Amino acid sequence: MQLIHCPWCGPREEVEFHYGGQADIAYPEKPAELSDQEWAEFVFYRDNPKGPFAERWSHSLGCRRWFNAVRDTRTYAFLATYEVGGPVAGVARAEQEVTA
C-alpha cells in the first residue's frame, strides 16, 4: 500500500484519497457562452505526459480537503504534495531524482 502525504493530516494510506484530475485547470468564466466544441475541450481534453504531472487529490476519508500533488506517471510515485494555490516546494529536486 502506498502512502500519500496530505498537507494537513500527514501520510495516510492511498485508499483514503480520491483523484480529481489535472491540477490548475480554471473553470470558464462564462460557461454558457462556450460552444459545444469549446465545452467538450474543457471537459475532456487534458494533458497526458510521461513523467511528473500536477494533479488534484481529495483526502475523502480524512479531512476532506483538496490539495495538489505532483506524481510521476511512469512509476506512480508521488513527488510532492501542496495546498491548492500554494508553492510547489521540492518538485524540481524530486524530478531530478526521478530522471537520474
Side-chain angles (χ1 to χ4, degrees), residues 30-71:
K30 298 179 181 180
E33 295 179 7
L34 295 179
S35 69
D36 289 344
Q37 178 65 33
E38 292 168 327
W39 187 251
E41 288 177 9
F42 168 74
V43 173
F44 299 111
Y45 288 57
R46 295 290 182 256
D47 294 337
N48 188 19
K50 182 178 180 181
F53 185 57
E55 304 170 328
R56 290 181 296 175
W57 285 80
S58 170
H59 191 181
S60 53
L61 297 180
C63 64
R64 296 179 175 241
R65 295 175 79 174
W66 285 90
F67 63 92
N68 287 346
V70 176
R71 183 177 63 86

Side-chain angles (χ1 to χ4, degrees), residues 11 28 39 51 75 97:
W39 187 251
T75 63
E97 292 172 4

Side-chain angles (χ1 to χ4, degrees), residues 52 70 72 74 77-80 89-100:
V70 176
D72 189 318
R74 295 169 294 190
F78 282 78
L79 306 176
V91 176
R93 188 183 94 261
E95 286 180 15
Q96 291 172 356
E97 292 172 4
V98 170
T99 58

Side-chain angles (χ1 to χ4, degrees), residues 20-34:
Q22 183 175 348
D24 303 319
I25 300 294
Y27 193 79
E29 289 185 32
K30 298 179 181 180
E33 295 179 7
L34 295 179

Side-chain angles (χ1 to χ4, degrees), residues 7-35:
W8 296 275
C9 304
R12 299 290 191 266
E13 293 184 2
E14 65 182 310
V15 296
E16 294 187 16
F17 297 89
H18 179 78
Y19 176 75
Q22 183 175 348
D24 303 319
I25 300 294
Y27 193 79
E29 289 185 32
K30 298 179 181 180
E33 295 179 7
L34 295 179
S35 69

